[in-house]
Amino acid sequence: MPHSLPADSVGLVTPQIAHFDTPLQLDCGRQLAAYDLVYETYGTLNRDHSNAILICHALSGDHHAAGYHSPEDRKPGWWESAIGPGKPIDSERFFIVCLNNLGGCKGSTGPNTPNPTSGKPWGPDFPIVTVRDWVESQARLADRLGITQWAAVIGGSLGGMQVLQWAIDFPARLRHAVVIAAAPNLTAQNIAFNEVVRQALRSDPDFHDGHYYEHQVVPSRGLKIARMLGHITYLSDDAMRAKFGRELREGKINFGFDVEFQVESYLRYQGESFVERFDANTYLLMTKALDYFDPASAYSGDLSAALAGVEASFFVASFTSDWRFAPQRSREIVKALLDGDKTVSYAEIEANHGHDAFLIPIPHYMAVFGSYMRRIAAELPQ
Amino acid sequence: MNVLRPDLAIISEWITPGSRVLDLGCGDGTLLAHLKRERDVDGYGLEIAPGNIVSCIEQGVNVIQTDLDAGINDFFDEASFDYVVMTQTLQAMSYPEQLLKEMLRVGREGIVTFPNFGHWRARVQLALGGHMPLSTALPNQWYNTPNIHLCTLKDFEALCATLGIRILQRRVVDHAHRYRLGGKLLPNLLGEIAIYRFIRE
């Protein structure tokens, strides 16, 4: 535990809650009459409110993107590598906002918060939310914070999808869109992985059709397996080989089914720690938001047409070994932007870390991301 | 501000202000940044080297990181640009012939520059020295050069004829990228760097 927090960290941060009681109309046809969004901010909003940056989180992320909640925290926020003084998303220059999306399990209204009509947790009755619903709710948070236009909206993976949606739905409300390790929609293979995740969760005897809160249990086996599967797909073959190889925990095989290979031990640990920090109903909702995201579908599959109205300048980045959101998918986004003569730069970063690379401070990634962010900072009034 | 490399200055003169330019192998973005500033040109650069991507972004140049050997058809539709420029890159491409065709599919006009393998010093080194030429324009040893498709002016013009490409303008400059009288008279012998502007026949 760091007694003194690192100098390049935003330091101690405290989450805040914004309550909204204007009903939110959702894509699925239902409404949320009222809801809370929990969020964190880093840095200082400048006088003309032009230096605000929105960070959109990915599947298992939350509002705690950077810094520490207490000096005893073992780990900082999930994107500590990119957010902080002197880092690409520089808290000395920008006012950074990150929120827990609706349907999340870290304080924003979601399956594990009380349903006002029953007083019990929403559970499986929480409406299925889409990327578009999230963006709408994020825009309301922006209104609340007095931010009419973001300097940039930034996100990786599912977060990158939210950035695309922002640029489409609110073209005038962001100057820059930073889309990292994302895709314009999921491939069949990706949807297939999500379906295995959902089956793992829903077939756990402790799932109780999503009403496990009332039974005081957690579908921990399902969560564990779901996370193990996810984790394999977030790494690359090379990364796993480099990290674990065929290394054995006890140096020999035991002809049994306990943990023998290091990679098994690692996956079990990842699965178990996920059980403690994540909610199964939220996981289900997140996979659905991913599966449904497809902004081109309203334009007969023409992504260029979907992006025709965007006004933001784009920075798109992908990672060579990412097979879950492969570079080819990012190139589709770039191609669609080029079709519309949009302002766009694209970096295809050599990295063997797989999809997880977007969270890792790879030198070229940080250099190119940093230079783009400095351009944004240079446009701000001094 | 640094003085613009003379071959880039020549290209810059050839480009009509306000046009759309694609720069293949745009390096650190110098040409595009200059064209944007001085000629009100709008455009994109394609580049593979990570360090150059960073420099382009620093200069505010729109850059796409990609391998030109994979072609440019993936990114650009037909006739998307007024000019497609490629400086000192053609000779390092795996499929120069293919790329020339793609340049004129994507753009109205093409502009290329390359080191002239027919320059007299190269000829002397090969003919009399019996070794692969080395010069300021061709600084690498045969075993570590990125230049795998070197050609002379004559070779290039012959290829253009085969591909149905009409050359609109040709300039040669010396290794310091200066435009000299000798190069005007005997370009294939006295020009070290060739600069061509061309369209589809």
Side-chain angles (χ1 to χ4, degrees), chain A residues 126-307:
Chain A
F126 194 83
I128 288 191
V129 281
T130 62
V131 169
R132 212 163 67 170
D133 297 331
W134 284 337
V135 167
E136 182 63 36
S137 68
Q138 291 162 3
R140 290 189 182 181
L141 179 64
D143 295 340
R144 180 72 56 87
L145 297 173
I147 296 157
T148 49
Q149 186 187 56
W150 300 100
V153 180
I154 303 176
S157 190
L158 175 56
M161 292 172 160
Q162 292 160 58
V163 179
L164 278 176
Q165 194 73 53
W166 258 100
I168 294 168
D169 288 355
F170 298 101
R173 293 199 70 173
L174 64 162
R175 292 194 295 281
H176 293 269
V178 178
V179 179
I180 303 171
N185 60 20
L186 288 195
T187 58
Q189 188 193 46
N190 257 317
I191 296 171
F193 281 127
N194 282 346
E195 175 57 8
V196 177
V197 162
R198 287 190 286 267
Q199 288 301 325
L201 296 168
R202 294 170 58 84
S203 62
D204 186 315
D206 284 338
F207 185 67
H208 297 289
D209 290 327
H211 295 286
Y212 45 88
Y213 316 98
E214 294 147 51
H215 295 80
Q216 271 91 51
V217 290
V218 169
S220 55
R221 283 159 291 184
L223 266 169
K224 214 163 92 178
I225 293 168
R227 185 58 174 176
M228 286 166 82
L229 172 76
H231 221 84
I232 297 168
T233 70
Y234 303 147
L235 296 175
S236 68
D237 187 18
D238 281 350
M240 286 185 112
R241 187 178 304 144
K243 208 165 176 175
F244 311 107
R246 293 181 49 83
E247 208 176 306
L248 292 159
R249 219 152 70 130
E250 293 173 21
K252 61 180 175 66
I253 53 170
N254 290 323
F255 299 96
F257 295 102
D258 283 339
V259 168
E260 294 190 290
F261 291 94
Q262 284 295 8
V263 65
E264 297 174 302
S265 156
Y266 170 81
L267 280 180
R268 286 191 192 193
Y269 171 77
Q270 290 295 335
E272 272 152 25
S273 62
F274 192 65
V275 171
E276 289 159 27
R277 69 178 179 91
F278 216 69
D279 177 82
N281 283 316
T282 288
Y283 205 160
L284 289 171
L285 288 176
M286 295 288 159
T287 63
K288 277 292 174 188
L290 272 163
D291 290 2
Y292 292 160
F293 179 74
D294 187 9
S297 63
Y299 299 84
S300 339
D302 184 351
L303 186 63
S304 312
L307 293 173

Side-chain angles (χ1 to χ4, degrees), chain A residues 55-63 78 98-102 104 134 138 154-160 162 286:
Chain A
I55 308 288
C56 301
H57 72 72
L59 192 146
S60 62
D62 55 32
H63 55 283
W78 57 269
C98 184
L99 74 155
N100 186 211
N101 281 327
L102 282 175
W134 284 337
Q138 291 162 3
I154 303 176
S157 190
L158 175 56
Q162 292 160 58
M286 295 288 159

Side-chain angles (χ1 to χ4, degrees), chain A residues 315 328 331 334-335 337-349 364 367-368 371-375, chain B residues 20 36 42 44 49-51 53-55 57-66 73-77 80:
Chain A
F315 173 62
Q328 183 51 39
R331 285 200 288 262
V334 172
K335 163 82 170 84
L337 291 165
L338 288 171
D339 281 345
D341 301 340
K342 307 299 179 191
T343 301
V344 54
S345 281
Y346 170 59
E348 197 165 294
I349 293 140
H364 173 45
V368 74
S371 66
Y372 193 80
M373 296 309 295
R374 280 193 297 279
R375 290 287 304 183
Chain B
R20 280 172 53 77
K36 190 175 170 185
D42 185 29
Y44 303 94
I53 303 294
V54 176
S55 307
I57 289 174
E58 263 161 16
Q59 300 204 56
V61 166
N62 287 327
V63 66
I64 312 293
Q65 187 170 12
T66 189
N73 288 347
D74 261 8
F75 283 117
F76 303 103
D77 290 337
S80 308

Side-chain angles (χ1 to χ4, degrees), chain B residues 70-146:
Chain B
I72 55 175
N73 288 347
D74 261 8
F75 283 117
F76 303 103
D77 290 337
E78 211 167 306
S80 308
F81 295 92
D82 298 309
Y83 302 93
V84 181
V85 179
M86 186 159 57
T87 64
Q88 304 292 350
T89 302
L90 185 70
Q91 76 283 355
M93 293 290 97
S94 293
Y95 315 99
E97 180 192 357
Q98 192 54 38
L99 205 52
L100 283 170
K101 284 194 257 183
E102 287 185 26
M103 283 175 82
L104 288 183
R105 188 192 69 88
V106 165
R108 199 166 45 80
E109 284 188 19
I111 296 175
V112 299
T113 79
F114 58 84
N116 174 25
F117 207 66
H119 184 258
W120 69 269
R121 254 192 236 108
R123 296 192 199 194
V124 166
Q125 288 186 51
L126 192 57
L128 302 180
H131 61 81
M132 286 295 279
L134 286 170
S135 67
T136 325
L138 297 167
N140 304 99
Q141 290 286 355
W142 66 273
Y143 49 83
N144 67 5
T145 179

